[in-house]
Amino acid sequence: MFTLFAIDRTQPLRSAARAGARMGWLAAALLALAACGGGSPEQRLRASMTQLQDAIQARDAKAVRAQLADDFVGPQGLDREGARRLAAASFLRYRDVWVRVAAPRFEVKGDRATVEFEAALGGGAGNALPEAAQLYQVRTGWRERDGEWRMISAEWTPRL
């Protein structure tokens, strides 16, 4: 279960919406799931998603990039390097970035997988309330090579 906070209305709504949109790709990247040990494809996928989450929580844009496939594609032509730059900009703008994920659904078929979930994403300067927050419906695509899962695609739709 997750908690969604309201956007601080003291800043212009467009600015808050833009900030939420810039952080939207982070929702695609993050799942608040514990890593599972073992060797099944789904367990390895969960572990890869946890590594991505750890990279974001550590505010490490290069480590975020490392979890994306070379041919990663996001909305509006976002590529792997663009995602790294977007992560770096978000980390500069927000001291704290958080996500709460609900109802993840895994579909693994051979070396490909899809994970869909709802995510609440926010960021701020360490205050009790976030400066920006949004709820998203997220769909991610993954590919496994040599036992490692990498995200190959992400799309998200704001729910509020």
Side-chain angles (χ1 to χ4, degrees), residues 78-139:
L78 183 70
D79 64 5
R80 185 180 188 207
E81 182 58 25
R84 185 205 60 79
R85 287 192 306 268
L86 187 58
S90 296
F91 299 154
L92 286 173
R93 180 177 173 119
Y94 299 107
R95 188 176 83 197
D96 294 323
V97 177
W98 55 264
V99 68
R100 304 294 183 268
V101 174
R105 294 169 303 284
F106 293 84
E107 184 177 335
V108 178
K109 291 183 180 178
D111 67 346
R112 301 288 174 136
T114 302
V115 183
E116 295 184 41
F117 53 94
E118 289 193 4
L121 181 69
N127 302 324
L129 294 176
E131 294 172 28
Q134 178 61 272
L135 180 64
Y136 296 93
Q137 180 63 44
V138 182
R139 179 181 173 95

Coordinates of all heavy atoms in Angstrom, one line a residue, residues 78-139:
L78 N 12.9 8.8 -25.5 CA 13.8 8.8 -24.4 C 14.7 7.6 -24.6 O 14.2 6.5 -24.7 CB 13.1 8.8 -23.1 CG 14.0 8.8 -21.8 CD1 14.7 10.2 -21.7 CD2 13.2 8.5 -20.6
D79 N 16.0 7.8 -24.6 CA 16.9 6.6 -24.8 C 17.7 6.5 -23.4 O 17.5 7.1 -22.5 CB 17.9 6.8 -25.9 CG 18.8 8.0 -25.8 OD1 18.8 8.7 -24.8 OD2 19.5 8.3 -26.8
R80 N 18.6 5.5 -23.5 CA 19.4 5.2 -22.2 C 20.1 6.4 -21.7 O 20.1 6.6 -20.5 CB 20.3 4.0 -22.6 CG 21.1 3.4 -21.4 CD 22.0 2.3 -21.9 NE 22.6 1.6 -20.8 CZ 23.7 1.0 -20.8 NH1 24.4 1.0 -22.0 NH2 24.2 0.4 -19.8
E81 N 20.9 7.1 -22.5 CA 21.6 8.2 -22.1 C 20.7 9.4 -21.6 O 21.0 10.0 -20.6 CB 22.6 8.7 -23.1 CG 23.5 9.9 -22.7 CD 24.3 9.6 -21.5 OE1 24.6 8.4 -21.2 OE2 24.7 10.5 -20.8
G82 N 19.6 9.5 -22.3 CA 18.6 10.5 -21.9 C 18.0 10.2 -20.6 O 17.8 11.1 -19.7
A83 N 17.8 8.9 -20.3 CA 17.3 8.5 -19.0 C 18.3 8.8 -17.9 O 18.0 9.3 -16.8 CB 16.9 7.0 -19.0
R84 N 19.6 8.6 -18.2 CA 20.6 8.9 -17.2 C 20.6 10.4 -16.9 O 20.7 10.8 -15.8 CB 22.0 8.5 -17.7 CG 23.1 8.7 -16.6 CD 24.5 8.9 -17.2 NE 24.6 10.0 -18.1 CZ 24.8 11.3 -17.7 NH1 24.8 11.6 -16.5 NH2 24.9 12.2 -18.6
R85 N 20.6 11.2 -18.0 CA 20.5 12.7 -17.8 C 19.3 13.1 -17.0 O 19.4 14.0 -16.1 CB 20.6 13.4 -19.1 CG 22.0 13.3 -19.8 CD 22.1 14.3 -20.9 NE 21.1 14.1 -21.9 CZ 21.2 13.3 -23.0 NH1 22.3 12.6 -23.2 NH2 20.2 13.2 -23.9
L86 N 18.2 12.5 -17.3 CA 16.9 12.8 -16.6 C 17.0 12.5 -15.1 O 16.6 13.2 -14.2 CB 15.8 12.1 -17.2 CG 14.4 12.4 -16.7 CD1 14.1 13.9 -16.9 CD2 13.3 11.6 -17.5
A87 N 17.6 11.3 -14.8 CA 17.8 10.9 -13.4 C 18.8 11.9 -12.7 O 18.5 12.3 -11.6 CB 18.4 9.5 -13.4
A88 N 19.9 12.3 -13.4 CA 20.8 13.2 -12.8 C 20.1 14.5 -12.5 O 20.3 15.1 -11.4 CB 22.0 13.4 -13.7
A89 N 19.3 15.0 -13.4 CA 18.6 16.3 -13.2 C 17.6 16.2 -12.0 O 17.5 17.1 -11.2 CB 17.9 16.7 -14.5
S90 N 16.9 15.1 -11.9 CA 16.0 14.9 -10.8 C 16.7 14.8 -9.5 O 16.2 15.4 -8.5 CB 15.2 13.6 -11.1 OG 14.4 13.7 -12.2
F91 N 17.8 14.2 -9.5 CA 18.6 14.1 -8.2 C 19.1 15.4 -7.8 O 19.2 15.7 -6.6 CB 19.8 13.1 -8.4 CG 19.3 11.7 -8.7 CD1 20.2 10.8 -9.4 CD2 18.1 11.2 -8.3 CE1 19.8 9.5 -9.7 CE2 17.7 9.9 -8.6 CZ 18.5 9.0 -9.3
L92 N 19.5 16.3 -8.8 CA 19.9 17.6 -8.4 C 18.8 18.5 -7.9 O 18.9 19.3 -7.0 CB 20.5 18.3 -9.7 CG 21.9 17.8 -10.1 CD1 22.3 18.5 -11.4 CD2 22.9 18.1 -9.0
R93 N 17.6 18.3 -8.5 CA 16.4 19.1 -8.1 C 15.9 18.7 -6.8 O 15.4 19.5 -6.0 CB 15.3 19.0 -9.2 CG 14.1 19.8 -8.8 CD 13.1 19.8 -9.9 NE 11.9 20.5 -9.4 CZ 11.3 21.5 -9.9 NH1 11.9 22.1 -11.0 NH2 10.3 22.1 -9.4
Y94 N 15.8 17.4 -6.5 CA 15.2 16.9 -5.3 C 16.2 16.1 -4.5 O 16.8 15.2 -4.9 CB 14.0 15.9 -5.7 CG 12.9 16.6 -6.4 CD1 12.8 16.3 -7.8 CD2 12.1 17.5 -5.8 CE1 11.8 16.9 -8.5 CE2 11.1 18.1 -6.6 CZ 10.9 17.9 -7.9 OH 10.0 18.5 -8.6
R95 N 16.3 16.5 -3.2 CA 17.2 15.8 -2.3 C 16.7 14.4 -2.0 O 17.4 13.5 -1.9 CB 17.4 16.6 -1.0 CG 18.5 16.0 -0.1 CD 18.7 16.9 1.1 NE 17.7 16.6 2.1 CZ 17.4 17.3 3.1 NH1 18.0 18.4 3.3 NH2 16.5 16.9 3.9
D96 N 15.4 14.3 -1.9 CA 14.7 13.1 -1.6 C 13.8 12.7 -2.7 O 13.0 13.5 -3.2 CB 13.9 13.2 -0.3 CG 14.7 13.4 0.9 OD1 15.8 12.8 1.0 OD2 14.3 14.1 1.8
V97 N 13.9 11.5 -3.2 CA 13.0 10.9 -4.2 C 12.5 9.6 -3.7 O 13.2 8.8 -3.1 CB 13.8 10.7 -5.6 CG1 12.9 10.0 -6.6 CG2 14.4 11.9 -6.1
W98 N 11.2 9.4 -3.7 CA 10.6 8.2 -3.2 C 9.5 7.7 -4.2 O 9.0 8.4 -5.0 CB 9.9 8.4 -1.8 CG 8.9 9.6 -1.8 CD1 9.2 10.9 -1.4 CD2 7.6 9.5 -2.1 NE1 8.0 11.6 -1.5 CE2 7.0 10.8 -2.0 CE3 6.7 8.5 -2.6 CZ2 5.7 11.1 -2.2 CZ3 5.4 8.7 -2.8 CH2 4.9 10.0 -2.6
V99 N 9.2 6.4 -4.0 CA 8.2 5.8 -4.8 C 7.5 4.7 -3.9 O 8.1 4.1 -3.1 CB 8.7 5.1 -6.1 CG1 9.6 3.9 -5.8 CG2 7.6 4.7 -7.0
R100 N 6.2 4.5 -4.1 CA 5.4 3.5 -3.5 C 4.7 2.7 -4.6 O 4.1 3.3 -5.4 CB 4.4 4.0 -2.5 CG 4.9 4.9 -1.4 CD 5.8 4.2 -0.4 NE 6.2 5.0 0.6 CZ 7.4 5.7 0.6 NH1 8.2 5.7 -0.4 NH2 7.7 6.5 1.7
V101 N 4.9 1.4 -4.6 CA 4.4 0.6 -5.7 C 3.2 -0.3 -5.2 O 3.3 -0.8 -4.1 CB 5.5 -0.3 -6.3 CG1 4.9 -1.2 -7.4 CG2 6.5 0.7 -6.9
A102 N 2.2 -0.4 -6.0 CA 1.1 -1.3 -5.7 C 0.8 -2.2 -6.8 O 0.9 -1.9 -8.0 CB -0.1 -0.5 -5.3
A103 N 0.4 -3.4 -6.5 CA -0.1 -4.4 -7.4 C 0.7 -4.7 -8.6 O 0.3 -4.7 -9.7 CB -1.5 -4.0 -7.9
P104 N 2.0 -5.1 -8.4 CA 2.8 -5.4 -9.6 C 2.4 -6.7 -10.2 O 2.0 -7.7 -9.5 CB 4.3 -5.6 -9.0 CG 4.0 -5.9 -7.5 CD 2.8 -5.2 -7.2
R105 N 2.3 -6.8 -11.5 CA 1.9 -8.0 -12.2 C 3.1 -8.3 -13.2 O 3.5 -7.5 -14.0 CB 0.7 -7.7 -13.0 CG -0.5 -7.4 -12.1 CD -1.8 -6.9 -12.8 NE -1.6 -5.7 -13.5 CZ -1.5 -4.4 -13.0 NH1 -1.5 -4.3 -11.7 NH2 -1.3 -3.4 -13.8
F106 N 3.6 -9.5 -13.0 CA 4.7 -10.0 -13.8 C 4.2 -11.0 -14.9 O 3.4 -11.9 -14.6 CB 5.7 -10.8 -12.9 CG 6.4 -9.9 -11.9 CD1 5.8 -9.6 -10.7 CD2 7.7 -9.4 -12.2 CE1 6.5 -8.8 -9.8 CE2 8.3 -8.6 -11.3 CZ 7.7 -8.3 -10.1
E107 N 4.8 -10.8 -16.1 CA 4.5 -11.8 -17.1 C 5.9 -12.1 -17.8 O 6.4 -11.3 -18.5 CB 3.5 -11.2 -18.2 CG 3.2 -12.2 -19.2 CD 2.2 -11.7 -20.2 OE1 1.4 -10.8 -19.9 OE2 2.2 -12.2 -21.4
V108 N 6.4 -13.3 -17.5 CA 7.7 -13.7 -18.0 C 7.5 -14.8 -19.1 O 6.8 -15.8 -18.9 CB 8.6 -14.3 -16.9 CG1 9.9 -14.7 -17.5 CG2 8.8 -13.2 -15.8
K109 N 8.0 -14.5 -20.3 CA 7.9 -15.4 -21.4 C 9.3 -15.6 -22.0 O 9.8 -14.7 -22.8 CB 7.0 -14.9 -22.5 CG 5.5 -14.9 -22.1 CD 4.6 -14.5 -23.2 CE 3.2 -14.5 -22.7 NZ 2.3 -14.0 -23.8
G110 N 10.0 -16.6 -21.6 CA 11.4 -16.9 -22.1 C 12.3 -15.8 -21.6 O 12.4 -15.5 -20.4
D111 N 13.0 -15.1 -22.6 CA 13.9 -14.1 -22.2 C 13.3 -12.7 -22.2 O 14.0 -11.7 -22.1 CB 15.1 -14.1 -23.1 CG 14.8 -13.7 -24.5 OD1 13.6 -13.7 -24.9 OD2 15.8 -13.5 -25.3
R112 N 12.0 -12.6 -22.3 CA 11.3 -11.3 -22.3 C 10.3 -11.3 -21.1 O 9.8 -12.3 -20.7 CB 10.5 -11.1 -23.6 CG 11.3 -11.1 -24.8 CD 12.2 -9.9 -24.9 NE 13.1 -9.9 -26.1 CZ 13.3 -8.9 -26.9 NH1 12.7 -7.8 -26.7 NH2 14.1 -9.1 -27.9
A113 N 10.0 -10.1 -20.6 CA 9.1 -10.0 -19.5 C 8.4 -8.6 -19.5 O 9.0 -7.6 -20.1 CB 9.8 -10.1 -18.1
T114 N 7.2 -8.6 -19.0 CA 6.5 -7.3 -18.8 C 6.1 -7.2 -17.4 O 5.7 -8.2 -16.7 CB 5.2 -7.3 -19.7 OG1 5.6 -7.5 -21.0 CG2 4.5 -6.0 -19.5
V115 N 6.3 -6.0 -16.8 CA 5.9 -5.8 -15.4 C 5.0 -4.5 -15.4 O 5.4 -3.5 -15.9 CB 7.1 -5.5 -14.4 CG1 6.6 -5.4 -13.0 CG2 8.1 -6.7 -14.5
E116 N 3.8 -4.7 -14.9 CA 2.9 -3.5 -14.9 C 2.6 -3.3 -13.4 O 2.4 -4.2 -12.6 CB 1.6 -3.8 -15.6 CG 1.8 -4.0 -17.1 CD 0.5 -4.2 -17.9 OE1 -0.5 -3.5 -17.5 OE2 0.5 -5.1 -18.8
F117 N 2.4 -2.0 -13.0 CA 2.1 -1.6 -11.7 C 1.6 -0.2 -11.6 O 1.7 0.5 -12.6 CB 3.3 -1.8 -10.8 CG 4.6 -1.1 -11.3 CD1 4.9 0.2 -10.8 CD2 5.4 -1.7 -12.2 CE1 6.0 0.8 -11.3 CE2 6.5 -1.1 -12.6 CZ 6.9 0.2 -12.2
E118 N 1.1 0.1 -10.4 CA 0.7 1.5 -10.1 C 1.8 2.0 -9.2 O 2.3 1.3 -8.3 CB -0.6 1.7 -9.5 CG -1.7 1.4 -10.5 CD -3.1 1.8 -10.0 OE1 -3.2 2.4 -8.9 OE2 -4.1 1.6 -10.7
A119 N 2.2 3.3 -9.4 CA 3.3 3.8 -8.5 C 2.9 5.3 -8.1 O 2.5 6.0 -9.0 CB 4.6 3.8 -9.3
A120 N 3.2 5.6 -6.9 CA 3.1 7.0 -6.4 C 4.6 7.4 -6.3 O 5.4 6.7 -5.7 CB 2.4 7.0 -5.0
L121 N 4.9 8.5 -6.9 CA 6.2 9.0 -7.0 C 6.3 10.5 -6.5 O 5.4 11.3 -6.8 CB 6.7 9.0 -8.4 CG 8.1 9.4 -8.7 CD1 9.1 8.4 -8.1 CD2 8.3 9.6 -10.2
G122 N 7.3 10.8 -5.7 CA 7.4 12.1 -5.2 C 8.8 12.5 -5.0 O 9.7 11.7 -5.0
G123 N 9.0 13.8 -4.8 CA 10.4 14.3 -4.5 C 10.3 15.6 -3.8 O 9.3 16.3 -3.8
G124 N 11.3 15.9 -3.0 CA 11.3 17.1 -2.2 C 12.7 17.4 -1.6 O 13.7 16.7 -2.0
A125 N 12.7 18.3 -0.8 CA 13.9 18.8 -0.1 C 14.1 18.3 1.3 O 14.8 18.9 2.1 CB 14.0 20.3 -0.1
G126 N 13.5 17.1 1.6 CA 13.6 16.6 2.9 C 12.5 17.0 3.9 O 12.6 16.7 5.0
N127 N 11.6 17.8 3.4 CA 10.5 18.3 4.2 C 9.5 17.1 4.5 O 9.5 16.1 3.9 CB 9.8 19.5 3.6 CG 10.7 20.6 3.3 OD1 11.6 20.8 4.0 ND2 10.5 21.3 2.2
A128 N 8.6 17.4 5.4 CA 7.6 16.4 5.7 C 6.7 16.1 4.5 O 6.3 15.0 4.3 CB 6.7 16.8 6.9
L129 N 6.4 17.1 3.7 CA 5.6 16.9 2.5 C 6.4 17.1 1.3 O 7.3 18.0 1.3 CB 4.4 18.0 2.5 CG 3.4 17.8 3.6 CD1 2.3 18.9 3.5 CD2 2.7 16.4 3.5
P130 N 6.2 16.4 0.2 CA 6.9 16.5 -1.0 C 6.6 17.8 -1.7 O 5.5 18.3 -1.6 CB 6.5 15.3 -1.8 CG 5.2 15.0 -1.3 CD 5.1 15.3 0.1
E131 N 7.6 18.2 -2.5 CA 7.3 19.4 -3.4 C 6.5 19.0 -4.6 O 5.8 19.8 -5.2 CB 8.7 20.0 -3.9 CG 9.5 20.6 -2.7 CD 10.9 21.0 -3.2 OE1 11.0 21.3 -4.4 OE2 11.8 20.9 -2.3
A132 N 6.7 17.7 -5.0 CA 5.9 17.2 -6.2 C 5.6 15.7 -5.9 O 6.3 15.0 -5.3 CB 6.8 17.3 -7.4
A133 N 4.4 15.3 -6.4 CA 4.0 14.0 -6.2 C 2.9 13.7 -7.3 O 2.2 14.5 -7.7 CB 3.4 13.7 -4.8
Q134 N 2.9 12.4 -7.7 CA 2.0 12.0 -8.8 C 1.8 10.5 -8.7 O 2.7 9.8 -8.3 CB 2.5 12.4 -10.2 CG 1.7 12.0 -11.3 CD 0.3 12.6 -11.4 OE1 -0.6 12.0 -10.8 NE2 0.2 13.7 -12.0
L135 N 0.6 10.0 -9.1 CA 0.3 8.6 -9.2 C 0.3 8.2 -10.7 O -0.2 9.0 -11.5 CB -1.1 8.4 -8.6 CG -1.6 6.9 -8.7 CD1 -0.7 6.1 -7.8 CD2 -3.1 6.9 -8.2
Y136 N 1.0 7.1 -11.0 CA 1.1 6.7 -12.4 C 0.7 5.2 -12.6 O 0.9 4.4 -11.7 CB 2.6 6.7 -12.8 CG 3.2 8.1 -12.8 CD1 3.9 8.6 -11.7 CD2 3.1 8.9 -14.0 CE1 4.4 9.9 -11.8 CE2 3.7 10.2 -14.0 CZ 4.3 10.6 -12.9 OH 4.8 11.9 -12.9
Q137 N 0.2 4.9 -13.8 CA 0.0 3.5 -14.2 C 1.3 3.3 -15.1 O 1.5 4.0 -16.0 CB -1.2 3.4 -15.0 CG -1.4 2.0 -15.6 CD -1.6 0.9 -14.4 OE1 -2.3 1.2 -13.5 NE2 -0.9 -0.2 -14.6
V138 N 2.0 2.2 -14.8 CA 3.3 2.0 -15.4 C 3.4 0.6 -16.1 O 2.9 -0.3 -15.5 CB 4.5 2.1 -14.3 CG1 5.8 1.9 -15.0 CG2 4.4 3.4 -13.6
R139 N 4.0 0.6 -17.2 CA 4.3 -0.7 -17.9 C 5.7 -0.7 -18.4 O 6.2 0.2 -19.0 CB 3.4 -0.8 -19.1 CG 3.6 -2.1 -19.9 CD 2.6 -2.1 -21.1 NE 2.9 -3.2 -22.0 CZ 2.3 -4.4 -22.0 NH1 1.3 -4.6 -21.1 NH2 2.6 -5.3 -22.8

